[in-house]
Amino acid sequence: MKNYELLKNLPKEGLEPRQFLRHCFGIASLSPPELLEEETDSQYRKKSITVLCAVLGVQRPTVRKWGSDLNFDGIPNYCKFALAYIHAAEIVPKELKSILQGEYSAPKVDAQTFLEKILLYGLTEQQVLQTVSHANFRTTCVKILTQVLHIGTKSVQDWGQDMSFRKMPTIHKHTLGYALAAISKSSKAWNKQAA
């Protein structure tokens, strides 16, 4: 359960798409007039949609439904947290070229793998058995997933009765992948443990 503490390293707030994109394109520190010039470039919105589609694993029509401007106000809150995890893991600036060329593959981690890393990694066989047989184990799993994904408890419970949560949508598997990357980036202890 000591790895459970690593969740505290995750960002506490989601990241707005416009801010996320400014970091992706390396323009976040520009002055307001320079930002305006960059963001009004004819290709900027198209590239922005490409980035959001690639990192979140969604289709272009989905992103377009989120809004007609660069704020993408209709984006679900849970996606803002995925963007915060991506930013914390420093993935996009390094991957921008492959994203724009359509070669990027978003990380995907299923619920069971994520929960094993957070709850069971580094435990002895006896400690693992003791942990998974505890009466509150499923409740703990659901709580962790709702906390990391920023979605409702009912949604998580509907994904299945065991630790695999087989019915979890792919978009949330991407978020778990980014969450692990953000934890790894921010936690020296995790890196030493994983080595």
Side-chain angles (χ1 to χ4, degrees), residues 52-122:
L52 292 174
C53 288
V55 298
L56 297 173
V58 297
Q59 300 296 315
R60 295 183 89 75
T62 301
V63 176
R64 285 192 192 106
K65 284 182 197 166
W66 292 341
S68 58
D69 62 14
L70 294 172
N71 292 324
F72 298 99
D73 289 326
I75 191 171
N77 195 47
Y78 61 82
C79 289
K80 293 179 184 179
F81 279 92
L83 297 180
Y85 299 161
I86 295 165
H87 180 65
E90 299 176 10
I91 291 173
V92 177
K94 291 181 281 190
E95 297 291 338
L96 184 59
K97 185 177 177 187
S98 68
I99 288 170
L100 294 175
Q101 292 175 344
E103 299 167 357
Y104 178 76
S105 182
K108 201 173 4 176
V109 173
D110 61 59
Q112 184 166 341
T113 303
F114 182 81
L115 291 166
E116 286 173 352
K117 284 212 182 251
I118 298 302
L119 295 172
L120 307 176
Y121 188 80

Side-chain angles (χ1 to χ4, degrees), residues 133-150:
S133 61
H134 193 278
N136 289 334
F137 184 67
R138 174 159 167 77
T139 304
T140 301
C141 291
V142 170
K143 181 181 173 191
I144 287 172
L145 291 175
T146 58
Q147 179 184 341
V148 172
L149 297 172
H150 295 271

Side-chain angles (χ1 to χ4, degrees), residues 3-21:
N3 293 339
Y4 185 72
E5 294 294 311
L6 293 171
L7 296 178
K8 292 178 181 174
N9 293 332
L10 289 173
K12 305 291 183 268
E13 292 182 14
L15 187 58
E16 294 296 326
R18 190 173 206 145
Q19 287 305 114
F20 173 78
L21 292 163

Side-chain angles (χ1 to χ4, degrees), residues 6 9 182-195:
L6 293 171
N9 293 332
I183 290 169
S184 179
K185 185 79 176 169
S186 66
S187 173
K188 292 183 174 87
W190 177 274
N191 291 333
K192 287 178 185 169
Q193 220 178 35

